Amino acid sequence: MFITYQQTSEQSYLLNYGEDINIITNKKVISHFNYLIKNKFKYIFNVVPSFNKLLIEFDINFKKDVEILIQKLKLIDENDEVKSIQHLISVCYDEEYALDYKNVENAFSIDFDEFINLHSSSILNVFMIGFMPGLPFLGLLNINQSLPRLENPRISIPAGSVGVVDKLSVIYPNQSSGGWNLVGKTTFNLFNKNSNTTILNPGDTVKFHNISKKDFIKNEK
Amino acid sequence: MKNESKIEFLRGGLITSLQGSKINNLQHLGITTSGPMDYFLSKIGNLIMDNNEDDLTFEICKFGPKIKILEGNFIFLVSGNINFNIITNSNTQLGKCFKSYILKKGDILELNQTINSNYAYLIFKGKLNTDISSNYKSSIISSSLGINDGKKISDSDKFKILKIPNFKDRFLSISLSNFYDNKIRVIKGPQMNYFKISIIKKFFSKKFKISKNLNRVGIRLIENPIKPTVSSNLPSEAIIKGSIQVPGDGNPIVLASEHPTIGGYPKIATILISELYKLVQLEEGAKISFEEVDINLGEKLYFDFLETIKSIQNKIVYL
């Protein structure tokens, strides 16, 4: 259940489900997201989940309907089964791609091999997709130390790069600028341009699989 | 009169792109809404031409394209404030905005610099071939998605225009300059409480300057830093067009048509839909100020805005 909600423009509400980044809160967000997507309300333009919030963008002529819908959401059982698929994603953690491995070692006080172990043995939750088409926000890594974004974000990060900040991980679907610490690279395709679909969806899980540079290069072809 | 034509861009212009209606229902995949930056001008232009108000247009940024008519007739109107020439049989005639023209095979339309503005719209009669084959009704240049694969128009691009209806020449009898000013009305943003009262006062009382960082993604404002106090980062959340987000250095970014779908900076205010089109037209160096209204007034202003657009139809003079 969301705790509060506020109107953030003439045609949007932002529902708040809690302050922290955690899986329980996110599951509540995702269950309401799935409900709204499934029902295809004609007066809703966009429904966008994030860690702890849900944006509903609507046709202003139907504001009353949206208000009723939000009240109704309160009654919708958030324990509804969220359909979840586990994806296995091969990552090459070679230094050529793990450009920020030193930041990781310093911030987490472990050597990079231990980090690879941790990163590739965790089952990570897909919290949301966004920022750019197909980019998944994944977590949580079992780490308590903080690893901030780069002070000077890179102007260009190659597509497929895997980044880490604190307990979270992302994969850049396309070449982009960005400030996440790079720890590896994958050939996994995140976004299907022809059908406008993402392979990962909020509520899914991801397990990374450590592969050698030789295998990675083979996959790239 | 043949109801098809073919045009070639002899020059693409600085950033010319196809923009029509907003892209909906894909933001949860990371796909932004896009659409025209100055939607007031694109809607007005379309209505003058008896198109639907969100029909596809060529959005011109700063420096326009040069177009040759290869076949048939090209019926157009320029909505904006931009210098342009019409070249027929090596005769060059200065064009007028908000007035329709019919060009014939071999004629050339040369759009040059925008005047005191950033965007202008080339509105045309008929259906573009790319429009018919695409589910999208706008280009997203920043992610190479949407109509025309999100590509800006390049030199020597060709388009076919189909289903061109019969047409009567016309022009708009009033100036739109009264609909533009530097005072921008906003409502409270989702994280206004991340800012001290004194900073919020500063936000509304002092002027910002439009920096050189302005494009379809966002507009950076400078010279009145308003640093958030609570934290410069929050768990990333969905963001919307018109939102004013404030990074750690205190220089706000106004989110425009191609904004990222998710962001983690606190947002002090949201610019009203009935106001944002004014801001996107302001050039580097222009000064602006913000004024707060409550959401009820914001909604009323939105409906007034729609009425204003419709009422322009009464100001069309047919020739």
Side-chain angles (χ1 to χ4, degrees):
Chain A
M1 168 66 65
F2 54 91
I3 302 163
T4 56
Y5 68 99
Q6 66 185 121
Q7 192 171 352
T8 52
S9 77
E10 301 95 313
Q11 50 183 28
S12 63
Y13 279 111
L14 191 61
L15 282 53
N16 184 0
Y17 295 75
E19 292 308 318
D20 302 326
I21 297 177
N22 67 65
I23 291 171
I24 295 168
T25 302
N26 183 250
K27 284 215 185 309
K28 295 175 187 173
V29 176
I30 300 307
S31 87
H32 283 173
F33 164 71
N34 286 340
Y35 173 82
L36 295 173
I37 289 286
K38 196 172 66 193
N39 283 283
K40 293 187 175 147
F41 297 99
K42 65 175 190 314
Y43 47 80
I44 291 185
F45 294 150
N46 272 302
V47 191
V48 193
S50 59
F51 296 111
N52 56 341
K53 290 182 187 171
L54 186 64
L55 175 82
I56 302 176
E57 201 198 348
F58 58 91
D59 180 341
I60 188 171
N61 294 301
F62 293 85
K63 190 180 173 190
K64 287 231 157 64
D65 300 75
V66 178
E67 282 174 345
I68 293 166
L69 181 62
I70 288 174
Q71 294 312 315
K72 197 177 152 195
L73 279 180
K74 287 184 176 169
L75 305 173
I76 290 173
D77 185 3
E78 54 256 27
N79 295 322
D80 266 2
E81 280 285 299
V82 174
K83 195 179 69 186
S84 173
I85 298 169
Q86 183 167 319
H87 305 266
L88 190 65
I89 297 180
S90 299
V91 173
C92 176
Y93 294 92
D94 188 89
E95 279 177 26
E96 187 183 335
Y97 313 119
L99 297 175
D100 301 310
Y101 77 93
K102 281 197 174 133
N103 292 355
V104 172
E105 289 186 331
N106 292 338
F108 294 155
S109 322
I110 51 176
D111 64 46
F112 196 59
D113 283 338
E114 284 177 76
F115 172 79
I116 293 171
N117 239 333
L118 175 82
H119 195 252
S120 59
S121 65
S122 312
I123 307 282
L124 300 175
N125 183 57
V126 180
F127 286 105
M128 68 233 197
I129 307 289
F131 183 70
M132 63 162 76
L135 184 145
F137 287 79
L138 310 167
L140 296 164
L141 294 167
N142 186 16
I143 280 175
N144 289 316
Q145 291 102 315
S146 166
L147 169 63
R149 279 164 208 261
L150 300 179
E151 258 176 47
N152 296 307
R154 289 195 170 80
I155 290 169
S156 176
I157 290 174
S161 294
V162 178
V164 172
V165 164
D166 295 337
K167 295 167 188 274
L168 298 171
S169 198
V170 295
I171 308 168
Y172 288 94
N174 288 306
Q175 190 194 314
S176 148
S177 58
W180 291 59
N181 300 279
L182 302 186
V183 297
K185 198 175 173 189
T186 178
T187 55
F188 190 86
N189 178 33
L190 293 156
F191 183 72
N192 185 332
K193 215 170 163 170
N194 296 324
S195 62
N196 262 333
T197 49
T198 53
I199 315 304
L200 311 184
N201 289 298
D204 286 355
T205 56
V206 163
K207 192 174 172 305
F208 289 120
H209 167 62
N210 180 10
I211 57 165
S212 67
K213 193 170 178 181
K214 202 173 133 196
D215 286 343
F216 176 77
I217 289 165
K218 217 189 293 166
N219 289 349
E220 264 190 319
K221 282 171 188 163
Chain B
M1 192 165 89
K2 202 179 158 198
N3 72 346
E4 280 184 31
S5 69
K6 199 171 171 189
I7 58 170
E8 179 181 358
F9 284 79
L10 302 177
R11 166 180 91 206
L14 181 62
I15 306 164
T16 305
S17 66
L18 283 166
Q19 300 299 340
S21 52
K22 252 177 72 190
I23 297 168
N24 283 330
N25 286 314
L26 297 175
Q27 197 176 331
H28 61 283
L29 306 175
I31 299 175
T32 193
T33 48
S34 200
M37 289 288 278
D38 185 346
Y39 41 87
F40 179 68
L41 279 186
S42 60
K43 284 174 194 281
I44 297 270
N46 269 322
L47 288 176
I48 298 172
M49 296 295 271
D50 286 328
N51 292 341
N52 292 319
E53 60 180 51
D54 290 326
D55 274 356
L56 212 55
T57 66
F58 288 100
E59 180 178 272
I60 295 156
C61 176
K62 289 305 227 184
F63 185 71
K66 188 172 177 182
I67 301 168
K68 184 171 185 178
I69 316 322
L70 299 181
E71 283 169 30
N73 292 330
F74 181 60
I75 307 172
F76 76 93
L77 169 142
V78 179
S79 184
N81 193 2
I82 182 169
N83 279 312
F84 69 97
N85 296 318
I86 291 162
I87 305 163
T88 54
N89 304 322
S90 61
N91 230 334
T92 301
Q93 177 200 345
L94 209 58
K96 273 196 187 130
C97 292
F98 300 106
K99 178 188 177 317
S100 68
Y101 291 91
I102 304 180
L103 295 189
K104 296 187 169 53
K105 183 176 172 177
D107 295 350
I108 289 172
L109 165 61
E110 184 184 37
L111 292 133
N112 296 316
Q113 266 97 1
T114 53
I115 304 162
N116 299 326
S117 58
N118 296 314
Y119 300 98
Y121 294 84
L122 175 61
I123 316 281
F124 53 90
K125 290 302 288 179
K127 275 273 184 196
L128 219 56
N129 54 341
T130 13
D131 187 8
I132 292 162
S133 61
S134 173
N135 295 322
Y136 292 102
K137 299 298 171 200
S138 279
S139 291
I140 312 174
I141 303 169
S142 55
S143 45
S144 305
L145 279 176
I147 194 161
N148 201 30
D149 287 328
K151 288 187 296 232
K152 62 177 192 171
I153 308 297
S154 318
D155 299 354
S156 77
D157 276 1
K158 292 186 184 74
F159 292 92
K160 260 192 181 158
I161 302 167
L162 312 169
K163 298 180 183 169
I164 303 172
N166 288 326
F167 187 78
K168 226 172 138 184
D169 260 326
R170 63 201 61 186
F171 66 90
L172 185 66
S173 62
I174 57 158
S175 156
L176 299 182
S177 58
N178 286 343
F179 297 101
Y180 290 85
D181 60 53
N182 296 26
K183 184 143 206 138
I184 309 292
R185 285 178 283 194
V186 302
I187 59 163
K188 275 189 180 61
Q191 287 87 30
M192 192 182 251
N193 60 349
Y194 277 48
F195 298 82
K196 276 193 207 158
I197 305 270
S198 59
I199 294 285
I200 296 172
K201 278 196 180 137
K202 191 179 172 206
F203 176 76
F204 286 114
S205 61
K206 294 223 168 118
K207 286 194 158 93
F208 288 93
K209 191 164 120 178
I210 309 272
S211 77
K212 65 175 192 293
N213 295 313
L214 71 166
N215 55 36
R216 286 183 49 81
V217 174
I219 298 138
R220 192 88 194 234
L221 307 177
I222 50 173
E223 293 193 355
N224 183 19
I226 42 154
K227 289 192 184 177
T229 40
V230 177
S231 156
S232 60
N233 275 298
L234 69 151
S236 289
E237 63 185 39
I239 51 182
I240 53 171
K241 188 153 92 172
S243 198
I244 305 175
Q245 61 173 23
V246 187
D249 69 1
N251 293 316
I253 299 166
V254 175
L255 299 175
S257 293
E258 297 194 19
H259 64 83
T261 60
I262 293 228
Y265 295 125
K267 294 166 288 292
I268 190 166
T270 311
I271 298 175
L272 297 175
I273 297 167
S274 54
E275 300 279 309
L276 179 63
Y277 73 92
K278 300 177 186 176
L279 189 147
V280 305
Q281 287 288 21
L282 295 171
E283 297 176 282
E284 179 189 349
K287 296 275 176 75
I288 58 160
S289 59
F290 293 109
E291 180 185 306
E292 187 179 354
V293 302
D294 67 22
I295 185 66
N296 295 324
L297 180 55
E299 288 172 350
K300 185 189 172 292
L301 291 170
Y302 176 80
F303 287 111
D304 291 350
F305 177 66
L306 297 186
E307 279 307 308
T308 302
I309 290 171
K310 286 210 183 75
S311 70
I312 298 283
Q313 280 176 305
N314 303 325
K315 308 290 179 193
I316 302 170
V317 178
Y318 294 87
L319 296 168

Coordinates of all heavy atoms in Angstrom, one line a residue, chain B residues 245-283:
Chain B
Q245 N 14.5 20.1 -11.9 CA 15.3 19.3 -11.0 C 16.6 20.1 -10.7 O 17.1 20.9 -11.5 CB 15.6 18.0 -11.5 CG 16.4 18.0 -12.9 CD 16.8 16.5 -13.3 OE1 16.2 15.6 -12.9 NE2 17.8 16.5 -14.1
V246 N 17.1 19.9 -9.4 CA 18.3 20.7 -9.0 C 19.4 19.8 -8.6 O 19.4 19.1 -7.5 CB 17.9 21.6 -7.8 CG1 19.0 22.5 -7.5 CG2 16.6 22.4 -8.2
P247 N 20.5 19.7 -9.4 CA 21.6 18.9 -9.0 C 22.4 19.6 -7.8 O 22.1 20.7 -7.5 CB 22.5 18.9 -10.3 CG 21.7 19.4 -11.3 CD 20.6 20.3 -10.7
G248 N 23.4 18.9 -7.3 CA 24.2 19.4 -6.2 C 24.7 20.8 -6.3 O 24.8 21.5 -5.3
D249 N 25.1 21.2 -7.5 CA 25.7 22.5 -7.7 C 24.6 23.7 -7.6 O 25.0 24.8 -7.7 CB 26.5 22.6 -9.0 CG 25.6 22.6 -10.2 OD1 24.4 22.5 -10.1 OD2 26.2 22.6 -11.3
G250 N 23.4 23.3 -7.6 CA 22.3 24.3 -7.4 C 21.8 25.0 -8.6 O 20.9 25.8 -8.6
N251 N 22.4 24.6 -9.8 CA 21.9 25.2 -11.1 C 20.8 24.3 -11.6 O 21.1 23.2 -12.1 CB 23.0 25.3 -12.1 CG 24.0 26.4 -11.6 OD1 23.6 27.5 -11.2 ND2 25.3 26.0 -11.7
P252 N 19.6 24.7 -11.7 CA 18.4 23.9 -12.0 C 18.5 23.4 -13.5 O 19.0 24.1 -14.3 CB 17.2 24.7 -11.8 CG 17.7 25.9 -11.0 CD 19.1 26.1 -11.3
I253 N 17.8 22.3 -13.7 CA 17.6 21.8 -15.1 C 16.1 21.7 -15.3 O 15.5 20.9 -14.6 CB 18.3 20.4 -15.3 CG1 19.8 20.5 -15.1 CG2 18.0 19.9 -16.7 CD1 20.5 19.2 -14.9
V254 N 15.6 22.3 -16.3 CA 14.2 22.2 -16.7 C 14.1 21.0 -17.7 O 14.8 21.0 -18.7 CB 13.7 23.4 -17.4 CG1 12.2 23.2 -17.9 CG2 13.7 24.6 -16.4
L255 N 13.3 20.0 -17.3 CA 13.2 18.8 -18.2 C 12.3 19.1 -19.4 O 11.2 19.6 -19.2 CB 12.7 17.6 -17.4 CG 13.5 17.2 -16.2 CD1 12.8 16.1 -15.4 CD2 14.9 16.7 -16.6
A256 N 12.9 18.8 -20.6 CA 12.1 19.2 -21.8 C 11.6 17.9 -22.5 O 11.6 16.8 -21.9 CB 13.0 20.0 -22.7
S257 N 11.3 18.0 -23.8 CA 10.6 16.9 -24.5 C 11.3 15.5 -24.4 O 10.7 14.5 -24.3 CB 10.5 17.3 -26.0 OG 9.6 18.3 -26.1
E258 N 12.7 15.5 -24.5 CA 13.3 14.2 -24.5 C 14.0 13.9 -23.1 O 15.1 13.4 -23.1 CB 14.4 14.2 -25.6 CG 13.7 14.3 -27.0 CD 14.6 13.9 -28.2 OE1 15.6 13.2 -28.0 OE2 14.2 14.3 -29.3
H259 N 13.4 14.3 -22.0 CA 14.0 14.1 -20.7 C 14.2 12.6 -20.4 O 13.5 11.8 -21.0 CB 13.1 14.7 -19.7 CG 11.8 14.1 -19.5 ND1 11.6 12.9 -18.8 CD2 10.6 14.4 -20.1 CE1 10.3 12.6 -18.9 NE2 9.7 13.4 -19.7
P260 N 15.2 12.3 -19.6 CA 15.3 10.9 -19.2 C 14.1 10.5 -18.4 O 13.4 11.4 -17.9 CB 16.5 10.9 -18.2 CG 17.2 12.2 -18.4 CD 16.2 13.1 -19.0
T261 N 13.7 9.2 -18.4 CA 12.5 8.8 -17.8 C 12.6 8.7 -16.3 O 11.5 8.8 -15.6 CB 12.0 7.4 -18.3 OG1 13.0 6.5 -18.0 CG2 11.9 7.5 -19.8
I262 N 13.8 8.6 -15.7 CA 14.0 8.4 -14.3 C 15.2 9.3 -13.9 O 16.1 9.5 -14.6 CB 14.4 6.9 -14.1 CG1 13.2 6.0 -14.4 CG2 15.0 6.7 -12.7 CD1 12.8 5.0 -13.4
G263 N 15.1 9.9 -12.7 CA 16.1 10.7 -12.2 C 16.2 10.8 -10.7 O 15.1 10.5 -10.0
G264 N 17.3 11.2 -10.2 CA 17.5 11.1 -8.7 C 17.8 12.5 -8.1 O 18.1 12.5 -6.9
Y265 N 17.6 13.6 -8.8 CA 17.8 14.9 -8.2 C 16.4 15.4 -7.6 O 15.4 15.1 -8.2 CB 18.3 15.9 -9.2 CG 19.6 15.6 -9.8 CD1 19.8 15.5 -11.2 CD2 20.7 15.5 -9.0 CE1 21.1 15.3 -11.7 CE2 22.0 15.2 -9.5 CZ 22.1 15.1 -10.9 OH 23.4 14.9 -11.4
P266 N 16.5 16.2 -6.5 CA 15.3 16.8 -6.0 C 14.7 17.8 -7.0 O 15.4 18.5 -7.7 CB 15.7 17.5 -4.7 CG 17.2 17.2 -4.5 CD 17.7 16.5 -5.8
K267 N 13.3 17.8 -7.0 CA 12.6 18.7 -7.9 C 11.8 19.7 -7.2 O 10.9 19.4 -6.4 CB 11.7 17.8 -8.8 CG 12.5 16.9 -9.7 CD 11.7 15.8 -10.3 CE 11.3 14.7 -9.4 NZ 12.3 13.8 -8.9
I268 N 12.2 21.0 -7.4 CA 11.7 22.0 -6.5 C 10.3 22.5 -7.0 O 9.4 22.9 -6.3 CB 12.7 23.2 -6.5 CG1 12.2 24.3 -5.5 CG2 12.9 23.9 -7.9 CD1 13.3 25.3 -5.1
A269 N 10.1 22.4 -8.4 CA 8.8 22.9 -8.9 C 8.5 22.2 -10.3 O 9.4 21.6 -10.8 CB 8.9 24.4 -9.1
T270 N 7.3 22.3 -10.7 CA 6.9 21.8 -12.0 C 6.3 23.0 -12.8 O 5.4 23.6 -12.4 CB 5.8 20.7 -12.0 OG1 6.2 19.7 -11.0 CG2 5.7 20.0 -13.3
I271 N 6.8 23.2 -14.0 CA 6.3 24.3 -14.9 C 5.0 23.8 -15.5 O 4.9 22.7 -15.9 CB 7.3 24.6 -16.0 CG1 8.6 25.1 -15.3 CG2 6.8 25.6 -17.0 CD1 9.7 25.4 -16.3
L272 N 4.0 24.7 -15.5 CA 2.7 24.3 -16.0 C 2.8 24.1 -17.5 O 3.6 24.7 -18.2 CB 1.7 25.5 -15.8 CG 1.4 25.8 -14.3 CD1 0.5 27.1 -14.3 CD2 0.7 24.7 -13.7
I273 N 1.9 23.2 -18.0 CA 1.9 22.9 -19.5 C 1.6 24.2 -20.2 O 2.1 24.4 -21.3 CB 0.9 21.8 -19.7 CG1 1.3 20.5 -19.0 CG2 0.7 21.6 -21.2 CD1 0.2 19.5 -19.0
S274 N 0.7 25.0 -19.6 CA 0.3 26.3 -20.2 C 1.5 27.3 -20.3 O 1.2 28.5 -20.7 CB -0.9 26.9 -19.5 OG -0.6 27.0 -18.1
E275 N 2.6 27.0 -19.8 CA 3.7 27.9 -19.6 C 5.1 27.4 -20.3 O 5.9 28.2 -20.7 CB 4.0 28.2 -18.1 CG 2.9 28.8 -17.4 CD 2.7 30.3 -17.6 OE1 3.7 31.0 -17.4 OE2 1.6 30.7 -17.9
L276 N 5.3 26.1 -20.2 CA 6.6 25.6 -20.6 C 7.0 26.0 -22.0 O 8.2 26.2 -22.3 CB 6.6 24.0 -20.5 CG 7.9 23.3 -20.9 CD1 9.0 23.7 -19.9 CD2 7.7 21.8 -20.8
Y277 N 6.0 26.0 -23.0 CA 6.4 26.4 -24.4 C 7.1 27.7 -24.5 O 7.9 28.0 -25.4 CB 5.1 26.3 -25.3 CG 4.2 27.5 -25.0 CD1 4.3 28.7 -25.8 CD2 3.2 27.5 -24.0 CE1 3.5 29.7 -25.6 CE2 2.4 28.5 -23.8 CZ 2.5 29.7 -24.6 OH 1.7 30.8 -24.3
K278 N 6.8 28.6 -23.5 CA 7.4 30.0 -23.5 C 8.9 29.9 -23.2 O 9.7 30.5 -23.8 CB 6.8 30.9 -22.5 CG 5.3 31.1 -22.6 CD 4.9 32.0 -21.3 CE 3.4 32.2 -21.3 NZ 3.1 32.9 -20.1
L279 N 9.2 29.0 -22.2 CA 10.6 28.9 -21.7 C 11.5 28.3 -22.8 O 12.6 28.8 -23.0 CB 10.6 28.1 -20.4 CG 11.9 28.1 -19.7 CD1 11.7 28.0 -18.2 CD2 12.8 27.0 -20.1
V280 N 11.0 27.3 -23.5 CA 11.9 26.6 -24.5 C 12.3 27.5 -25.6 O 13.2 27.3 -26.3 CB 11.2 25.3 -25.0 CG1 10.8 24.4 -23.9 CG2 10.1 25.6 -26.0
Q281 N 11.5 28.6 -25.8 CA 11.9 29.5 -26.9 C 12.9 30.6 -26.5 O 13.5 31.2 -27.4 CB 10.6 30.3 -27.4 CG 9.7 29.4 -28.2 CD 10.2 29.0 -29.6 OE1 11.4 29.1 -29.9 NE2 9.3 28.6 -30.5
L282 N 13.2 30.7 -25.2 CA 14.1 31.7 -24.8 C 15.5 31.3 -25.1 O 15.9 30.2 -24.9 CB 13.9 32.0 -23.3 CG 12.6 32.5 -22.9 CD1 12.4 32.6 -21.4 CD2 12.4 33.9 -23.5
E283 N 16.3 32.3 -25.6 CA 17.6 31.9 -26.1 C 18.6 32.1 -24.9 O 18.4 32.7 -23.9 CB 18.0 32.9 -27.2 CG 17.1 32.7 -28.4 CD 17.5 33.8 -29.5 OE1 17.0 34.9 -29.3 OE2 18.2 33.4 -30.5

